[in-house]
Amino acid sequence: MTETELESYRYPIGRFKAPFPINEAMLKGYIETIETLPQKLEEAVEDWSDEQLATPYREGGWTVRQTIHHIADSHFNSQQRFRLALTEDRPAIVPYIESAWAELPDAKSADIALSLTILKGLHARWTILLKSFGEKEWAREFIHPEFPQPLRLDTTAALYDWHSRHHLTHITNLKDRKGW
């Protein structure tokens, strides 16, 4: 596999690029992506066998099971970061090692229904919160030690719009390639 092919499997919708400026229409699109992700994920893997869920979405990548559990872990962390940024003045968040979490026993073997259920409730609440935002809330920030500048909530919403579409596309591309 060439480097270009590997990149297209790893980043099927491209790498994240923070948009600037972010307008109201873009924010509505981000919220819609976040709101609809749980249903789209559920539809994408409906009736999949354990063997299918144990298939990596790309060579050297996570299995579909690990990917779904990763989405729940990541989005739970993100929603908490939003809440911290809304209630504290530029809070410093604690990052986590995604690749290590994906290797934990629950991420490798637990029923995906557990994470799909988490995502339904989490995204429903997250969407309610996001739809309540005005300019002041979107401009709130948190400190992430891996980034040189504080992260605004509008940019973070753009990131999680991308993250949602990124991993959903991993799964749907695999489904298409395998003819499932």
Side-chain angles (χ1 to χ4, degrees), residues 78-86 126 130 133 153 156-157:
S78 181
Q79 192 256 14
Q80 295 304 304
R81 292 168 183 175
F82 271 77
R83 298 176 75 77
L84 288 168
L86 291 168
W126 198 3
L130 295 174
F133 282 14
L153 293 185
T156 305

Side-chain angles (χ1 to χ4, degrees), residues 107-176:
K108 291 182 87 168
S109 64
D111 186 340
I112 63 165
L114 299 170
S115 283
L116 291 172
T117 299
I118 288 169
L119 286 166
K120 281 182 197 172
L122 177 69
H123 280 238
R125 285 193 59 198
W126 198 3
T127 299
I128 291 167
L129 185 64
L130 295 174
K131 286 181 176 179
S132 75
F133 282 14
E135 284 183 42
K136 184 178 89 175
E137 289 80 15
W138 287 117
R140 300 285 297 187
E141 299 174 326
F142 63 89
I143 308 297
H144 192 303
E146 296 171 359
F147 292 87
Q149 300 294 322
L151 293 173
R152 286 173 50 110
L153 293 185
D154 56 1
T155 304
T156 305
L159 174 62
Y160 278 84
D161 165 87
W162 173 87
H163 190 260
S164 297
R165 293 180 297 107
H166 169 72
H167 285 305
L168 180 61
T169 303
H170 281 145
I171 293 166
T172 58
N173 283 356
L174 173 66
K175 184 177 185 175
D176 291 344

Side-chain angles (χ1 to χ4, degrees), residues 7-27:
E7 182 77 2
S8 72
Y9 278 91
R10 191 168 183 200
Y11 296 101
I13 63 169
R15 292 180 182 260
F16 176 71
K17 294 178 183 113
F20 185 81
I22 296 174
N23 62 43
E24 191 173 326
M26 294 163 76
L27 291 168

Side-chain angles (χ1 to χ4, degrees), residues 31-47 68 71 75 112 115-124 127 164 168 171-172 175:
I31 294 169
E32 182 178 342
T33 297
I34 290 167
E35 184 173 29
T36 61
L37 177 68
Q39 180 181 344
K40 288 179 179 179
L41 275 173
E42 208 167 57
E43 289 169 359
V45 298
E46 190 174 23
D47 299 323
I68 290 171
I71 295 167
H75 291 203
I112 63 165
S115 283
L116 291 172
T117 299
I118 288 169
L119 286 166
K120 281 182 197 172
L122 177 69
H123 280 238
T127 299
S164 297
L168 180 61
I171 293 166
T172 58
K175 184 177 185 175

Side-chain angles (χ1 to χ4, degrees), residues 68-94:
I68 290 171
H69 291 313
H70 159 73
I71 295 167
D73 291 340
S74 175
H75 291 203
F76 180 83
N77 274 285
S78 181
Q79 192 256 14
Q80 295 304 304
R81 292 168 183 175
F82 271 77
R83 298 176 75 77
L84 288 168
L86 291 168
T87 60
E88 299 178 22
D89 186 30
R90 282 186 156 179
I93 61 93
V94 177

